[in-house]
Amino acid sequence: MSSDEEGTTSHEMASKDVKTKAGRRYSQHWSLSLHELVLFQKQHGHCLVPIDYPENLGLARWVKRQRYQYSLFKQEKPCSLNGARIKLLDAIGFVWDSHKVQWENKFKNLLKYKEETGHCDVPSTDSKNRQLSTWVIRQRVQYRLFQSCKPATINQDQIDALEQIGFKWNLGAGCKTKRKWLESQSLSPMQLLAEAAQIQQKEKKTRRKVRA
């Protein structure tokens, strides 16, 4: 065997050894992260680690990465997930589609709001339900995108679910805020959210004047 062949063989062996060690380290890291997720699940009762989870940002990033790797797995593309790891995550109730679960939770909140008020029109001035109000606005934005055959985070099943509980996609012109909404329908989604924020600020100023 020539020296060149020996050198190539040595290089290949060294490269294979590096890959083996890297794979072993990744497996150890994956197992450690799974253990941290199990502890999170026991503490909170679910596996929905917030993307900005202050106590463990590394775990939040790992969870997000598993969802991405799962999408590759389903497309039969190269990924770091395999059947065994997927089963381990499924066993602790891992949520592969976090958007769907979060949507369902907000929908339940809207149902509760309707039971209390008799309608689904959460005003932007409702300080107790500010997050729900923002979510309601977002659904109308996404619905408009969906109707225009543009990429949207809402689907037909979600649209049907909202309509079944009396959700209004276009608010009536019964007040200035609602008229402003109709005027803003030609705006882009980002402009629409900005417009809603401006409306909220104006309504706050109006309330302050009334109190004064």
Side-chain angles (χ1 to χ4, degrees):
M1 182 180 294
S2 67
S3 58
D4 288 341
E5 290 177 337
E6 289 179 354
T8 302
T9 303
S10 299
H11 176 75
E12 290 176 348
M13 290 177 65
S15 178
K16 183 177 180 180
D17 186 52
V18 169
K19 290 180 180 179
T20 300
K21 289 180 179 179
R24 192 179 299 118
R25 285 196 299 269
Y26 181 81
S27 294
Q28 292 173 348
H29 172 71
W30 196 93
S31 297
L32 177 61
S33 297
L34 176 64
H35 177 68
E36 292 178 348
L37 182 60
V38 169
L39 295 178
F40 178 92
Q41 194 273 345
K42 289 181 178 178
Q43 181 181 355
H44 300 279
H46 59 79
C47 296
L48 289 169
V49 183
I51 57 175
D52 56 349
Y53 186 49
E55 296 182 24
N56 195 336
L57 287 175
L59 178 62
R61 288 192 290 267
W62 182 82
V63 166
K64 182 180 180 180
R65 188 157 53 249
Q66 301 317 298
R67 294 193 179 107
Y68 173 68
Q69 293 298 322
Y70 183 67
S71 68
L72 295 178
F73 179 86
K74 290 194 298 182
Q75 298 174 56
E76 298 183 351
K77 294 182 178 180
C79 66
S80 60
L81 268 183
N82 54 39
R85 287 174 175 169
I86 291 172
K87 286 182 179 179
L88 287 172
L89 289 169
D90 283 338
I92 61 172
F94 190 84
V95 178
W96 299 107
D97 188 349
S98 61
H99 174 75
K100 179 181 178 182
V101 173
Q102 292 170 355
W103 192 95
E104 290 174 349
N105 288 336
K106 283 292 190 295
F107 181 75
K108 290 177 182 177
N109 292 340
L110 183 60
L111 274 176
K112 183 179 179 182
Y113 179 88
K114 184 184 179 182
E115 290 176 357
E116 296 173 351
T117 64
H119 61 82
C120 300
D121 301 332
V122 188
S124 60
T125 55
D126 189 344
S127 59
K128 293 182 179 180
N129 296 285
R130 188 160 296 168
Q131 289 186 352
L132 184 59
S133 173
T134 301
W135 182 80
V136 164
I137 291 174
R138 190 174 294 116
Q139 299 319 295
R140 294 191 174 105
V141 171
Q142 294 303 319
Y143 175 76
R144 191 159 63 86
L145 292 173
F146 183 87
Q147 292 295 95
S148 301
C149 297
K150 296 179 180 179
T153 58
I154 199 170
N155 57 47
Q156 189 60 56
D157 289 340
Q158 293 168 339
I159 291 171
D160 293 342
L162 286 167
E163 289 179 346
Q164 286 175 7
I165 64 171
F167 188 85
K168 297 177 182 178
W169 300 109
N170 293 303
L171 297 178
C175 63
K176 291 183 179 180
T177 300
K178 293 180 179 179
R179 285 199 299 272
K180 196 71 175 179
W181 175 272
L182 289 175
E183 293 170 3
S184 69
Q185 290 304 292
S186 60
L187 299 176
S188 69
M190 291 301 295
Q191 290 174 318
L192 189 55
L193 290 174
E195 189 74 16
Q198 291 179 7
I199 292 172
Q200 187 173 357
Q201 290 298 321
K202 290 180 180 179
E203 290 173 343
K204 285 182 179 179
K205 291 181 181 179
T206 301
R207 290 200 305 274
R208 292 195 190 103
K209 291 180 179 180
V210 171
R211 290 172 184 171

